[in-house]
Amino acid sequence: MSIERSGEQVDPCMAEEAKAFAGLAGHALTALKRQAADVRDRHWGKAVSYSRKVFIPLTTMCRNTCGYCTFVKHPGDPGANYMTPDEVLAVAMNGERLGCKEALFSLGERPERRYEEARAALARLGYTSTVDYLVEACKLVLDHTKLVPHVNAGTLDEDEIARLREVSGSMGMMLENVSRRLMKPGMAHHACPDKAPLLRLRTIEAAGRLGVPFTTGILIGIGETWDERVDSLVAIDEIHRRYGNVQEVIVQNFRAKPGTAMAQWAEPSRADMLRTLAMARLVLDPSISLQAPPNLEQDFEDYLDCGINDWGGISPLTADHINPERAWPAIAELARRTEARGYRLVERLTVYPAHLGVETAPLHATLAGMARADGFARDQYVA
């Protein structure tokens, strides 16, 4: 069984074929992985990229209460705050000294709509909304460092995306899954108004209309079915075929964390992750980068056999604030294990080479000045 794609045309049987991959194992899974790796090799060659960045958690407060999340802090919890401008700038400047080129702003979604404490914190900073403060924080980084912001602010309307587009090279938001079932009581997204699939799809579409290079993805193992995973990837692919702006898709495996509502949930198996990655590479347009985080799996180099071409953001300074218990691999180790599978590690910018030529993008000139002829970072840190 296989999926064949030709240009922008999608085989109408694609989703149904992909749904049949759910039970593949043994030789069948090996064949699926080989096909996915072949697609990656034809489109991306032997370069596997990563982005050297700092993570800036602008606020840890959020109006959502996802069942797996330890990033979010509620008012009264230690660490429930907004970073000050001085704190933002200190992280960015320290990252710049270590060769970072991207400032990833990661933050909770619209906490001011739920908490008086969030509104008061914003007022002390001189703002009425988190997005307003985020715009100014991005400007601060651009004015005082050479880092380019990547904004991961959750659901946004078109006006907010337009404002953030002026001060960021790219944006992102995990779709996670298109299933509304996951919003029911007892499920991962219960009491999470911003996790409504329609709102998240609308955000990706709005970014597409404005030509914003966008990162999205799925989170596996949170109660979804295999068919719902396939449907989620197909939904992302359909938006990309209309607008061409989805530069990368992340497939991330759920990790159970103490103190969360899902602390006792079973994590997806290694075979499940490998099968999902291979399926994703075959479902998605080959021009979309496929990424998997290396810090969430001990034998992460096995992901290369499934068609990935990117390791995502890795920081020499800041932790993975979403999975702080999982340390980043050292870049030298990442390079060594990548090379052992026949590929070479390259450092990219927050915007992939194929998206650098959009001269109407506000930060086009800045990004072009950071890139070498092939579109990857001019100054490489790969050892």
Side-chain angles (χ1 to χ4, degrees):
M1 182 177 294
S2 64
I3 294 176
E4 296 295 337
R5 304 195 56 155
S6 175
E8 295 301 313
Q9 299 301 313
V10 178
D11 184 337
C13 297
M14 178 185 66
E16 292 308 313
E17 290 188 32
K19 288 174 181 178
F21 295 157
L24 290 187
H27 293 305
L29 179 55
T30 299
L32 180 70
K33 289 159 56 180
R34 187 179 301 113
Q35 187 184 0
D38 287 345
V39 170
R40 183 265 321 282
D41 290 349
R42 288 197 301 270
H43 192 86
W44 295 90
K46 294 295 184 178
V48 176
S49 55
Y50 89 100
S51 177
R52 193 174 181 90
K53 65 179 68 174
V54 291
F55 287 72
I56 302 178
L58 193 64
T59 180
T60 54
M61 291 186 282
C62 182
R63 72 167 177 166
N64 302 308
T65 54
C66 297
Y68 47 77
C69 183
T70 57
F71 173 82
V72 168
K73 310 296 181 188
H74 303 292
D77 292 344
N81 58 24
Y82 280 82
M83 293 178 71
T84 67
D86 286 345
E87 290 170 336
V88 169
L89 196 54
V91 172
M93 288 178 142
N94 286 334
E96 183 178 26
R97 283 191 284 270
L98 293 172
C100 295
K101 301 167 185 68
E102 177 181 341
L104 169 57
F105 281 91
S106 183
L107 54 148
E109 298 191 44
R110 307 183 192 278
E112 68 274 18
R113 293 190 177 180
R114 179 174 180 180
Y115 298 117
E116 171 58 35
E117 292 88 343
R119 293 191 290 273
L122 282 168
R124 288 193 294 272
L125 291 164
Y127 303 95
T128 58
S129 79
T130 299
V131 171
D132 289 343
Y133 183 36
L134 176 59
V135 170
E136 294 305 312
C138 289
K139 288 180 182 177
L140 187 69
V141 169
L142 288 170
D143 288 345
H144 295 279
T145 76
K146 295 179 181 178
L147 274 62
V148 174
H150 169 89
V151 172
N152 192 352
T155 55
L156 298 165
D157 62 34
E158 195 156 331
D159 176 67
E160 291 168 329
I161 293 171
R163 292 168 58 205
L164 287 164
R165 178 180 181 271
E166 300 297 310
V167 293
S168 62
S170 56
M171 299 183 202
M173 176 203 65
M174 291 289 280
L175 172 61
E176 297 195 9
N177 202 275
V178 293
S179 174
R180 286 190 55 83
R181 241 185 1 94
L182 300 181
M183 301 187 72
K184 293 181 178 180
M187 301 300 285
H189 292 154
H190 178 58
C192 299
D194 296 301
K195 292 302 175 77
L198 183 60
L199 293 180
R200 299 182 90 75
L201 290 169
R202 284 175 175 170
T203 297
I204 304 171
E205 289 178 333
R209 287 192 293 272
L210 294 174
V212 175
F214 205 84
T215 294
T216 187
I218 62 172
L219 179 59
I220 73 167
I222 56 172
E224 81 288 357
T225 66
W226 177 267
D227 285 5
E228 288 166 345
R229 288 184 200 175
V230 175
D231 290 341
S232 300
L233 291 166
V234 169
I236 293 168
D237 194 67
E238 288 175 346
I239 293 173
H240 178 72
R241 286 187 289 110
R242 287 199 297 275
Y243 302 107
N245 71 309
V246 179
Q247 63 171 358
E248 65 183 354
V249 163
I250 304 167
V251 174
Q252 182 169 326
N253 47 320
F254 160 75
R255 288 295 191 181
K257 298 178 176 61
T260 66
M262 296 173 64
Q264 302 305 314
W265 280 49
E267 297 177 347
S269 68
R270 178 175 169 277
D272 193 18
M273 181 64 172
L274 298 179
R275 184 168 46 244
T276 303
L277 282 170
M279 179 270 292
R281 180 65 287 163
L282 296 173
V283 166
L284 296 169
D285 189 277
S287 67
I288 299 174
S289 173
L290 182 62
Q291 177 194 131
N295 60 319
L296 300 186
E297 169 60 44
Q298 182 175 352
D299 299 321
F300 57 78
E301 63 267 43
D302 290 346
Y303 293 166
L304 292 167
D305 298 338
C306 303
I308 75 159
N309 60 278
D310 188 79
W311 295 118
I314 297 176
S315 179
L317 177 67
T318 52
D320 176 354
H321 288 283
I322 308 302
N323 297 282
E325 77 284 2
R326 301 274 176 170
W328 303 114
I331 297 302
E333 177 69 3
L334 186 68
R336 183 188 68 79
R337 291 165 73 171
T338 299
E339 290 167 5
R341 293 297 173 96
Y343 297 86
R344 71 182 189 279
L345 185 68
V346 294
E347 184 188 350
R348 63 169 171 84
L349 304 173
T350 185
V351 173
Y352 278 78
H355 293 263
L356 279 176
V358 183
E359 296 187 4
T360 56
L363 298 183
H364 166 72
T366 299
L367 287 160
M370 299 168 67
R372 63 191 190 187
D374 63 0
F376 289 112
R378 185 185 61 236
D379 301 320
Q380 291 277 311
Y381 286 81
V382 292

